[in-house]
Amino acid sequence: MYGLIGKMIVAPGQRDALIAVLLEGIRDMPGCLSYVVAKDTAEPDAIWITEVWDSKASHDASLSLPGVRDAISRAKPLIAGFEKRVITEPVGGHGLPG
């Protein structure tokens, strides 16, 4: 499995709008086992995205999907920056294959 955890800084006042865009763009992503968008409770203009994929190849291929490309283009104006990004190797958990 292939995992990503990232902290995204949102343009002031745009957090809910960005979350809506990111959640719209996650349908029909082959190989995506989990995609979670969460509000940072300490920073009103920050979100965390946690992804689990069956492989890095599936993640990379998702970036070419029309729905994902559309979500990325609509999200870009709402993003102020990226603070952290970590690549992980998930080994299992609730909802994931063992």
Side-chain angles (χ1 to χ4, degrees):
M1 284 188 272
Y2 177 77
L4 294 169
I5 301 171
K7 182 178 182 182
M8 190 178 294
I9 306 303
V10 183
Q14 296 298 313
R15 183 163 75 174
D16 289 340
L18 179 58
I19 289 170
V21 169
L22 294 175
L23 293 176
E24 287 173 16
I26 61 173
R27 292 183 196 91
D28 302 320
M29 296 192 305
C32 183
L33 304 175
S34 178
Y35 185 93
V36 177
V37 179
K39 293 179 179 179
D40 188 304
T41 59
E43 297 180 47
D45 293 322
I47 62 172
W48 289 87
I49 301 170
T50 306
E51 303 175 51
V52 179
W53 296 83
D54 63 2
S55 68
K56 183 178 185 316
S58 291
H59 170 265
D60 293 349
S62 75
L63 299 175
S64 298
L65 296 170
V68 173
R69 291 179 62 81
D70 177 60
I72 290 170
S73 69
R74 291 187 297 130
K76 279 184 181 181
L78 306 174
I79 299 170
F82 298 89
E83 191 170 293
K84 296 180 182 181
R85 183 173 187 258
V86 178
I87 297 172
T88 65
E89 184 180 343
V91 294
H94 182 74
L96 300 179

